[in-house]
Amino acid sequence: MLRRPAPALAPAAWLLLAGLLCGGGVWAARANKHKPWLEPTYHGIVTENDNTVLLDPPLIALDKDAPLRFTESFQVTVTKEGEICGFKIHGQNVPFEAVVVDKSTGEGIIRSKEKLDCELQKDYTFTIQAYDCGKGPDGANVKKSHKATVHIQVNDVNEYAPVFKEKSYKATVVEGKRYDSIVRVEAVDADCSPQFSQICSYEIITPDVPFTVDKDGYIKNTEKLNYGKEHQYKLTVTAYDCGKKRASEDVLVKVSIKPTCTPGWQGWNSRVEYEPGTGTLALFPNVHLETCDESVASVRATVELETGHIGKGCDRDTYSEKSLHRLCGAASGTAELLPSPSSSLNWTIGLPTDNGHDSDQVFEFNGTQAVRIPDGVVSLNPKEPFTVSVWMRHGPFGRKKETILCSSDKTDMNRHHYSLFVHGCRLIFLLRQDPSGEKKYKPAEFHWKLNQVCDEEWHHYVLNVEIPRATLYVDGVSHEPFSVTEDYPLHPSRIETQLVVGACWQGGDLHMTQFFRGDLAGLTIRSGKLADKKVIDCLYTCKEGLDLQIPEDSGRGVKIQANPSQSMLTLEGEDVGELEKALQHVTYLNSRQFPTPGIRRLKLSSTVRCFNEAACISVPPVDGYVMVLQPEEPKISLSGVHHFARAASEFESSEGVFLFPELRIISTVTREVEPDGEGDEDPTVQESLVSEEIVHDLDTCEVTVEGDELNPEQEGLEVDMAHLQHRGIEMSSSDLGVIFTGVDTMASYEEVLHLLRYRNWHSRSLLDRKFKLICSELNGRYVSNEFQVEVNVIHTANPMEHASHMAAQPQFVHPEHRSFVDLSGHNLANPHPFAVVPSTATVVIVLCVSFLVFMIILGVFRIRAAHQRTMRDQDTGKDNEMDWDDSALTITVNPMETYEDQHSSEEEEEEEEEESEEGEEEDDITSAESESSEEEEGEHGDPQTANRQQQLEWDDSTLSY
């Protein structure tokens, strides 16, 4: 392909081109003299979900070196002076960048490089510079503007919902009131701006409830609440922020309604059950004092246990007063003037008693009764120290003298030697001294004025007399007489005295006077002064009462006071909470093994002192009771040998015969045992009874003779007194038997009774003697069974014959000790080294009985044999056609007849053996009995065979063919 050659330029064109080149070269030679210019400060706003910042004023950089308009179309490619090439941001961790939008105009924008979070940072501040494009095409000599400050605020987006601070809210209000505020609910919003982070409103979603909530979350009731209508309200509440966004989860509000607040103790039970043997029992384990929000300065609480109706003011051991003195450590020598009635102590039988206190012996005197104390019971020398103790309950019955105890002339005169009497509310003791060489006034009457004498309550009195002093202890507290009257000693006389309880005997008039009206118990007199305060306290101290054991971390600052009888406790403190903790540890304790069952009244009274005395609360008293349950009653069982025989010589020996050599005393209780597993749900399963042996003391064992009374001239019951004194058991004897008294273990009483011997110095006319033993605990509250023993006397023909038999028959001599063998309640074995040889009369009786039995057996045998022969003759005379084919018959034989025959044969063999043993004394008798035995044994089988044949014969006389 051919090309056309380019045309040549005209001269004019060359001139124009040269001019342009010369002109351009002049413009390009201009210098970059000025810096870009920015506003001093910029303010921007950016939203969390956007990255472009809106600035005020807009971001524009100006430069005086900007090119001319007419040269722009020619010079834009050959010069850069006046253009803005970029912006630079100064600051650390600035999440923004500046970008040039138009270089020629210097316009730019600021945008975020990452996602912004207003909740993390709400605003940013940094500096920015603009720089131009420099000089020439290569951008040399770049100019920068000054640093302008940029403030950017991050606008919030309502991305978070309100959240409540608590999962639920609770409040308690009292009925009948309208509250300005019951409880406040509060929600928060995690947004950063005030518009979206503030909670603008709350709302109760639950319909038809008498409550409202304001914009700040305070809930109040719109009407008076009624506890009877509703005990508790459950409300559902939600919240909204100012962006109208609702809470993510609603909240539950519980408003409990309380009855109208009444100050007082709460959380206590009016009935508290006490099971014997369980130790202490907390009376108020959950008690709380409601003060109705009153400001309390201090509280004083008093707990009272009322036991006046139990026994003699409270629960005590019901042993005899003499036993109680010994248990408390008092020396021996106490004479009991009002003992429990018994065979030997019978002077109190006619007195009325109070039988409602579990054998706690209380005697009632109605102003017409009195008892005379037998002579010899009290041995008292008024010149020596002595002690009188008594339990007394007496009321204000007037101004007459009422005598408790009086010793006066038995006949002729009315002189009172010593007496203890009541005159109004005064207790007076009279003691007239015996004649002496000095005829002068001496102390004779001691007066005590006491409220206890006439308050109709039980009190314990101990009077220590040591002339010229007399000290009175009332409930363990000593009292000195307020008045002492002196008198002359009595005139000498030989008149005997009479001791009376409940009145005073007038020997000259021969009648009683000054009768006592009230209750008495435990009246004793003992020689010697009862100076030991511990013994007096022991006699009075109750076995039940209130106790308080406070842990170290409770009851701080609480003061505690208790009375001596432990029936009242007082607690006082300023801190109500600490007082409540102390009161929760108040317990009831009964240390008796078998306490008296019944009700003990309980009272809690309080006194509250407030800071504002005008509006102080009043706490009503609390009334309840402790129910002491019935203890498991023990069953005291006496067992041993009931019947045995001894030789007459043993009764006459110095040792005598031991009546209870194998006696055993045990005590058991019966308890109900619940079935195991799921038996409680099954009504057909019944509880089982289990007998369990227990250990406790005894206080009395009485041995009485049955039949004729004991004759002290020829017989008696004896025991080693050293063993009794060692064990603290006393014995009193009479014609009816002996009584052992004193609190001791069952094992000790066993040992003492094992040693009890019966002796009879004239046993020739004695065939047998019967005795009865009864033991008891707690003054007769629990009584054993009657254990009877019969002992027979074996008489020998004469001592010489007895000796010859002993020498001729050494097989009857048993040097070793034999134990008792009980055969149907009888023990014929001899526990002593020598056995008793049967008398001649006994041998003759045995032989006669044996011969009679032999003749009866022989007669029966002959009758059966004759009957058998008769039956055989009748059978042979019958026709053979009448024979009955009994090959297919089943014959049933009565097994009882066979057993009776065998049993009778065994009895005969036993009788023969006994006869052979009896006959060892004489050879001819032995041989005769053995022959009869052999004959009987040889012929014993024939009657049985005949009897069986007779049973197998068939009576076919009435059959027809």
Side-chain angles (χ1 to χ4, degrees):
M1 180 177 182
L2 296 177
R3 293 183 177 179
R4 182 181 298 174
L9 292 175
W14 285 108
L15 290 175
L16 179 59
L17 179 59
L20 290 173
L21 291 173
C22 292
V26 175
W27 180 260
R30 294 182 60 184
N32 186 14
K33 297 180 180 181
H34 299 91
K35 297 178 180 181
W37 179 87
L38 294 174
E39 294 287 344
T41 304
Y42 295 89
H43 293 275
I45 297 175
V46 62
T47 307
E48 283 182 318
N49 55 3
D50 195 3
N51 62 348
T52 302
V53 179
L54 299 178
L55 288 176
D56 182 23
L59 181 60
I60 298 176
L62 300 178
D63 194 335
K64 292 182 179 181
D65 296 327
L68 298 175
R69 294 281 182 182
F70 63 92
T71 62
E72 287 180 1
S73 58
F74 302 101
Q75 302 296 328
V76 67
T77 59
V78 296
T79 182
K80 296 181 179 179
E81 291 81 352
E83 292 185 353
I84 302 300
C85 280
F87 298 94
K88 185 176 182 181
I89 294 176
H90 300 276
Q92 294 181 352
N93 300 325
V94 177
F96 295 95
E97 61 181 358
V99 179
V100 177
V101 178
D102 189 345
K103 292 183 178 182
S104 60
T105 61
E107 182 181 357
I109 61 173
I110 297 177
R111 61 187 180 187
S112 62
K113 297 187 295 183
E114 57 190 35
K115 186 178 180 180
L116 301 178
D117 192 348
C118 176
E119 288 72 33
L120 295 179
Q121 190 169 349
K122 295 182 179 181
D123 51 33
Y124 296 88
T125 301
F126 53 89
T127 57
I128 189 173
Q129 274 185 316
Y131 57 92
D132 56 17
C133 294
K135 180 182 178 181
D138 55 355
N141 195 17
V142 175
K143 300 289 184 180
K144 297 180 181 180
S145 69
H146 64 277
K147 293 180 178 180
T149 302
V150 180
H151 299 281
I152 298 178
Q153 180 179 350
V154 181
N155 280 350
D156 187 22
V157 175
N158 194 6
E159 55 184 337
Y160 294 100
V163 177
F164 285 95
K165 289 185 176 182
E166 304 290 339
K167 293 183 179 180
S168 63
Y169 294 87
K170 296 180 180 179
T172 302
V173 296
V174 179
E175 66 174 349
K177 293 183 179 181
R178 296 189 64 173
Y179 294 85
D180 294 334
S181 175
I182 296 177
V183 64
R184 184 190 182 191
V185 295
E186 188 176 1
V188 294
D189 196 314
D191 288 316
C192 64
S193 64
Q195 179 183 2
F196 300 135
S197 64
Q198 290 184 358
I199 306 300
C200 284
S201 64
Y202 294 90
E203 182 182 355
I204 297 177
I205 301 176
T206 306
D208 302 327
V209 290
F211 297 94
T212 184
V213 59
D214 60 12
K215 63 182 183 63
D216 295 324
Y218 290 100
I219 297 177
K220 63 180 180 180
N221 56 323
T222 57
E223 62 185 38
K224 292 182 179 181
L225 304 177
N226 189 350
Y227 178 79
K229 181 179 179 181
E230 194 74 37
H231 291 0
Q232 187 184 69
Y233 289 92
K234 295 181 179 180
L235 314 176
T236 302
V237 181
T238 190
Y240 295 91
D241 60 15
C242 294
K244 298 299 182 181
K245 194 163 190 176
R246 182 175 172 175
S248 58
E249 293 183 4
D250 301 332
V251 70
L252 178 64
V253 181
K254 296 180 181 179
V255 181
S256 299
I257 313 301
K258 290 175 54 179
T260 303
C261 182
T262 302
W265 294 102
Q266 299 178 357
W268 55 275
N269 295 323
S270 60
R271 174 188 171 100
V272 181
E273 292 187 353
Y274 180 80
E275 185 175 353
T278 56
T280 58
L281 174 66
L283 299 177
F284 314 102
N286 302 311
V287 73
H288 165 68
L289 180 61
E290 176 60 59
T291 59
C292 296
D293 299 330
E294 185 67 33
S295 181
V296 175
S298 65
V299 179
R300 180 186 179 91
T302 302
V303 184
E304 297 178 71
L305 183 69
E306 298 179 6
T307 59
H309 61 290
I310 303 295
K312 297 185 290 290
C314 65
D315 208 2
R316 296 181 176 90
D317 285 330
T318 56
Y319 296 119
S320 65
E321 198 69 18
K322 183 185 294 185
S323 299
L324 291 175
H325 276 71
R326 189 180 301 111
L327 287 175
C328 290
S332 59
T334 300
E336 194 167 5
L337 304 185
L338 291 176
S340 299
S342 64
S343 58
S344 59
L345 308 175
N346 56 6
W347 62 84
T348 58
I349 292 178
L351 283 178
T353 59
D354 185 358
N355 295 321
H357 295 312
D358 294 288
S359 302
D360 192 3
Q361 198 68 64
V362 174
F363 295 94
E364 297 178 352
F365 294 84
N366 60 7
T368 62
Q369 300 142 323
V371 292
R372 300 188 184 189
I373 308 302
D375 296 338
V377 174
V378 176
S379 178
L380 183 65
N381 183 7
K383 294 181 181 181
E384 300 294 331
F386 64 94
T387 302
V388 179
S389 65
V390 65
W391 285 93
M392 181 178 69
R393 179 170 59 185
H394 182 263
F397 297 124
R399 294 292 180 180
K400 293 183 179 181
K401 291 183 179 181
E402 301 178 34
T403 301
I404 301 171
L405 175 68
C406 179
S407 176
S408 59
D409 290 330
K410 185 176 289 188
T411 58
D412 298 335
M413 290 187 288
N414 298 328
R415 297 181 305 171
H416 297 178
H417 293 257
Y418 64 87
S419 67
L420 181 65
F421 60 93
V422 174
H423 192 189
C425 288
R426 296 183 181 183
L427 185 67
I428 303 171
F429 177 68
L430 169 67
L431 178 61
R432 299 292 300 277
Q433 294 291 318
D434 290 337
S436 61
E438 298 179 357
K439 293 184 178 181
K440 62 178 183 180
Y441 285 99
K442 293 183 179 181
E445 281 192 2
F446 301 85
H447 297 250
W448 291 271
K449 188 174 183 181
L450 303 167
N451 293 328
Q452 293 91 327
V453 174
C454 54
D455 64 355
E456 294 188 283
E457 299 290 340
W458 278 106
H459 298 284
H460 185 240
Y461 301 85
V462 175
L463 178 62
N464 277 330
V465 180
E466 188 177 12
I467 298 301
R469 290 176 54 85
T471 304
L472 179 67
Y473 292 88
V474 182
D475 297 338
V477 180
S478 62
H479 297 268
E480 294 296 331
F482 80 94
S483 175
V484 178
T485 303
E486 296 182 344
D487 201 350
Y488 273 111
L490 293 174
H491 298 290
S493 68
R494 296 185 179 180
I495 302 175
E496 295 181 355
T497 59
Q498 176 66 59
L499 185 60
V500 178
V501 175
C504 199
W505 173 252
Q506 298 293 94
D509 302 331
L510 299 180
H511 68 83
M512 296 285 186
T513 185
Q514 300 178 6
F515 286 95
F516 179 78
R517 289 179 295 172
D519 298 326
L520 297 177
L523 178 57
T524 61
I525 295 181
R526 65 184 305 273
S527 298
K529 184 179 178 182
L530 192 61
D532 193 349
K533 185 64 166 54
K534 293 182 179 179
V535 176
I536 298 175
D537 291 339
C538 175
L539 294 173
Y540 168 72
T541 302
C542 296
K543 294 293 183 179
E544 65 177 342
L546 301 174
D547 192 17
L548 178 58
Q549 299 292 336
I550 303 179
E552 296 181 357
D553 57 345
S554 299
R556 295 185 179 91
V558 177
K559 299 178 182 179
I560 302 170
Q561 294 179 351
N563 65 339
S565 62
Q566 294 293 314
S567 62
M568 181 183 297
L569 282 177
T570 302
L571 298 84
E572 186 174 2
E574 297 179 356
D575 190 334
V576 177
E578 293 297 327
L579 183 72
E580 291 175 351
K581 292 180 182 179
L583 197 59
Q584 291 171 1
H585 290 85
V586 174
T587 59
Y588 169 79
L589 174 64
N590 195 317
S591 60
R592 293 189 64 191
Q593 186 177 9
F594 305 107
T596 303
I599 292 176
R600 277 74 164 167
R601 296 293 176 185
L602 194 65
K603 185 177 182 180
L604 173 59
S605 56
S606 307
T607 303
V608 179
R609 188 169 58 87
C610 304
F611 292 104
N612 184 8
E613 294 294 340
C616 195
I617 61 176
S618 176
V619 178
V622 171
D623 293 321
Y625 63 92
V626 178
M627 172 59 73
V628 179
L629 302 180
Q630 180 74 34
E632 296 172 336
E633 296 191 1
K635 180 182 179 182
I636 305 173
S637 302
L638 309 179
S639 60
V641 178
H642 292 274
H643 192 184
F644 59 89
R646 295 290 183 271
S649 59
E650 294 188 27
F651 290 91
E652 298 177 0
S653 65
S654 60
E655 293 185 359
V657 175
F658 294 97
L659 293 181
F660 310 104
E662 294 187 3
L663 176 69
R664 185 155 186 257
I665 305 175
I666 63 173
S667 182
T668 58
V669 294
T670 302
R671 292 190 173 95
E672 293 183 355
V673 179
E674 297 182 357
D676 297 334
E678 300 178 354
D680 297 339
E681 301 177 359
D682 189 356
T684 61
V685 178
Q686 298 181 354
E687 295 180 344
S688 59
L689 300 179
V690 176
S691 182
E692 180 178 336
E693 185 173 347
I694 64 172
V695 177
H696 59 79
D697 293 333
L698 297 177
D699 61 352
T700 304
C701 279
E702 183 175 4
V703 180
T704 56
V705 61
E706 294 188 351
D708 298 336
E709 296 182 359
L710 294 174
N711 186 357
E713 297 181 357
Q714 67 178 19
E715 60 182 343
L717 296 172
E718 300 176 357
V719 71
D720 189 358
M721 299 303 296
H723 287 81
L724 295 181
Q725 295 176 358
H726 176 68
R727 300 190 179 280
I729 298 176
E730 295 184 357
M731 184 185 76
S732 59
S733 303
S734 67
D735 296 342
L736 299 177
V738 296
I739 299 179
F740 298 96
T741 58
V743 182
D744 212 328
T745 62
M746 292 185 292
S748 297
Y749 269 92
E750 271 188 11
E751 294 182 10
V752 171
L753 291 170
H754 286 169
L755 301 175
L756 181 63
R757 308 185 302 269
Y758 170 67
R759 292 184 62 197
N760 193 307
W761 301 275
H762 304 283
S763 61
R764 294 185 177 227
S765 61
L766 181 66
L767 295 178
D768 57 39
R769 259 305 197 186
K770 295 180 180 179
F771 298 91
K772 179 177 66 176
L773 170 65
I774 297 177
C775 294
S776 64
E777 162 70 338
L778 293 174
N779 208 12
R781 179 177 176 183
Y782 303 116
V783 183
S784 70
N785 60 310
E786 291 186 359
F787 181 74
Q788 296 181 344
V789 171
E790 180 180 352
V791 55
N792 297 106
V793 183
I794 302 176
H795 296 277
T796 57
N798 54 68
M800 294 300 296
E801 183 180 358
H802 177 74
S804 64
H805 279 292
M806 291 291 291
Q809 302 293 337
Q811 65 270 23
F812 282 100
V813 179
H814 302 281
E816 73 276 9
H817 181 78
R818 294 292 184 90
S819 62
F820 286 84
V821 180
D822 192 5
L823 298 176
S824 302
H826 299 266
N827 191 346
L828 301 179
N830 193 354
H832 296 279
F834 300 97
V836 179
V837 179
S839 62
T840 304
T842 305
V843 176
V844 173
I845 293 173
V846 172
L847 290 177
C848 292
V849 173
S850 302
F851 181 75
L852 179 61
V853 173
F854 172 74
M855 294 302 296
I856 293 173
I857 295 173
L858 183 60
V860 173
F861 172 76
R862 289 182 177 181
I863 292 173
R864 288 185 177 180
H867 181 69
Q868 184 178 0
R869 286 194 299 269
T870 302
M871 296 301 296
R872 284 201 299 266
D873 293 341
Q874 293 177 358
D875 293 340
T876 56
K878 292 182 180 180
D879 188 15
N880 293 333
E881 294 178 357
M882 299 299 294
D883 292 341
W884 185 265
D885 184 10
D886 56 358
S887 60
L889 291 177
T890 300
I891 307 301
T892 303
V893 182
N894 184 6
M896 296 303 297
E897 185 174 357
T898 305
Y899 172 77
E900 293 174 356
D901 295 339
Q902 295 177 356
H903 187 63
S904 62
S905 64
E906 292 175 359
E907 292 180 351
E908 293 170 1
E909 290 176 2
E910 291 178 359
E911 292 177 358
E912 291 166 3
E913 291 177 359
E914 293 178 358
E915 293 171 1
S916 63
E917 292 177 358
E918 297 283 350
E920 288 181 0
E921 298 179 3
E922 297 180 7
D923 295 337
D924 54 343
I925 296 177
T926 306
S927 62
E929 288 180 349
S930 62
E931 289 175 1
S932 63
S933 301
E934 291 173 0
E935 182 180 356
E936 184 177 350
E937 290 175 0
E939 297 176 0
H940 191 271
D942 295 339
Q944 294 180 354
T945 305
N947 188 21
R948 292 193 185 98
Q949 292 176 357
Q950 184 179 357
Q951 292 174 355
L952 293 174
E953 290 175 357
W954 187 267
D955 184 8
D956 55 355
S957 59
T958 60
L959 295 176
S960 60
Y961 295 90

